[in-house]
Amino acid sequence: MENGGGSKRWGFGRNEEILRASAFSIRGILGSVIQNLNPDDTRPVIPLGHGDPSAFPCFRTPSEAQTAISDAVYSAKFNCYAPTIGLLPARQAVAEYLSQDLPYKLSPDDVNLTIGCTQAIEIILAVLARPNANILLPRPGFPYYEARAAHSNIEIRHFDLLPESDWEVDLNAVEALADENTAAMVIINPGNPCGNVFKYQHLKKIAETARKLGILVIADEVYDHLTFGDNPFVPMGVFGSISPVITVGSISKRWIVPGWRLGWLVINDTNGILKEQGVIDCITRFQNISSDPATFIQGAVPDILQKTKPDFFPS
């Protein structure tokens, strides 16, 4: 029996597309930086790429959230497999939570629970991937979109955010970039990394532009209600009657629990365009071949969303 070496040709090897996609990711970049630190240099390292406030003792999730998790575990009701789109009471709670800021009521059927906001991004980009498809992404933006788009073989086209206009979207550039193969545009509001908060009228113009171009808006609202300054947070779903909107978000930021990995992908589309185009069915079918959030965390979601005292959140 041969022992290693030789001229044998093996039928496996690395996937170059994964390496290419990972190059866009924050974790990939940070990992490369860390690997190249000099282990003999004793100077302290300040982790400026660290985006997890829960690592610091001054940032803690509320006791109501901790109790909700404990109660879910000890109830022994959430040790089972969950439906791939999520438990109904959890989806109902998310629908009620998000509907507070909308002019209409979301249904639990509009809500798909995901493993954090990152899986929600993964799902919608995978669903939109088709031959020659392209997607419009903001610059500056959150590089995970570039990574997942590259992994799904979706062409990336960037539109600029305008610093002289409070980092608003350059809508003229959006129109110039779009063509018959454009599937969607992404907005991040409140903004990452710019910290901007889009105004109502600008969001309405984004929806009108998307309708004109025949594309959907992916609204990343993972930082919802974490705002500074005079502009209040307005969810893109307010304009779901103008253009179809897919909202992605999670409890990670507002409840300071990114490691709990509970997010959502929500349909804001009062005209039923996404259903007509088969997008909603495709989202469900993708989740049938994917993983879903831990069931005990889903079981805790209603109490987390409904019982957290208002004074936990900054006014």
Side-chain angles (χ1 to χ4, degrees):
M1 180 175 181
E2 294 183 3
N3 184 16
S7 60
K8 174 69 178 178
R9 180 186 178 278
W10 297 102
F12 53 83
R14 67 186 190 180
N15 185 324
E16 296 293 340
E17 290 189 3
I18 290 178
L19 298 179
R20 181 168 60 91
S22 180
F24 287 104
S25 71
I26 291 177
R27 289 180 177 180
I29 294 169
L30 287 176
S32 178
V33 170
I34 292 170
Q35 288 173 11
N36 285 280
L37 291 175
N38 182 356
D40 298 324
D41 191 333
T42 59
R43 291 177 297 176
V45 175
I46 301 174
L48 296 179
H50 187 84
D52 184 356
S54 67
F56 304 96
C58 57
F59 295 103
R60 287 290 181 269
T61 197
S63 59
E64 294 87 351
Q66 294 173 320
T67 299
I69 291 289
S70 176
D71 288 349
V73 170
Y74 282 104
S75 72
K77 296 178 181 178
F78 304 106
N79 298 330
C80 57
Y81 289 120
T84 55
I85 60 173
L87 293 174
L88 178 59
R91 290 187 287 116
Q92 177 68 54
V94 172
E96 291 174 358
Y97 167 70
L98 296 177
S99 292
Q100 297 175 57
D101 298 315
L102 297 173
Y104 53 89
K105 294 294 184 183
L106 292 168
S107 159
D109 293 336
D110 297 320
V111 177
N112 299 266
L113 297 185
T114 59
I115 306 173
C117 188
T118 52
Q119 191 195 29
I121 297 169
E122 172 188 341
I123 291 169
I124 188 56
L125 293 188
V127 165
L128 295 177
R130 66 178 190 275
N132 302 315
N134 67 72
I135 189 169
L136 310 183
L137 301 180
R139 183 174 52 196
F142 179 49
Y144 191 73
Y145 285 94
E146 279 84 351
R148 290 307 315 186
H151 184 264
S152 297
N153 293 311
I154 302 175
E155 179 190 347
I156 300 163
R157 300 181 180 180
H158 288 103
F159 59 84
D160 288 330
L161 303 180
L162 304 173
E164 67 276 11
S165 301
D166 296 327
W167 300 103
E168 289 186 343
V169 172
D170 184 346
L171 292 174
N172 291 328
V174 168
E175 292 199 36
L177 288 167
D179 61 19
E180 69 276 7
N181 292 317
T182 303
M185 66 178 293
V186 172
I187 64 166
I188 304 174
N189 182 49
N192 178 12
C194 299
N196 57 299
V197 182
F198 290 139
K199 296 177 182 177
Y200 180 97
Q201 286 301 324
H202 185 60
L203 292 170
K204 184 177 181 183
K205 289 179 181 178
I206 291 173
E208 290 169 346
T209 301
R211 180 180 178 85
K212 177 181 178 181
L213 298 173
I215 63 178
L216 68 88
V217 179
I218 300 172
D220 186 324
E221 296 176 352
V222 73
Y223 288 99
D224 67 335
H225 294 289
L226 295 176
T227 61
F228 301 90
D230 297 328
N231 295 345
F233 167 69
V234 178
M236 190 69 205
V238 166
F239 308 100
S241 61
I242 299 176
S243 175
V245 176
I246 297 284
T247 299
V248 297
S250 75
I251 64 173
S252 298
K253 311 302 183 184
R254 203 176 185 203
W255 274 266
I256 323 178
V257 286
W260 291 8
R261 311 307 297 152
L262 192 288
W264 48 75
L265 184 156
V266 177
I267 309 299
N268 298 274
D269 179 23
T270 60
N271 297 312
I273 298 170
L274 294 175
K275 182 177 181 180
E276 179 182 300
Q277 294 295 114
V279 173
I280 294 177
D281 180 60
C282 198
I283 288 171
T284 302
R285 288 174 182 267
F286 183 94
Q287 290 192 275
N288 285 343
I289 58 172
S290 184
S291 299
D292 42 272
T295 313
F296 72 88
I297 297 179
Q298 295 187 47
V301 164
D303 281 354
I304 292 173
L305 298 182
Q306 296 165 6
K307 294 187 178 181
T308 301
K309 295 182 175 61
D311 58 9
F312 172 73
F313 306 110
S315 57

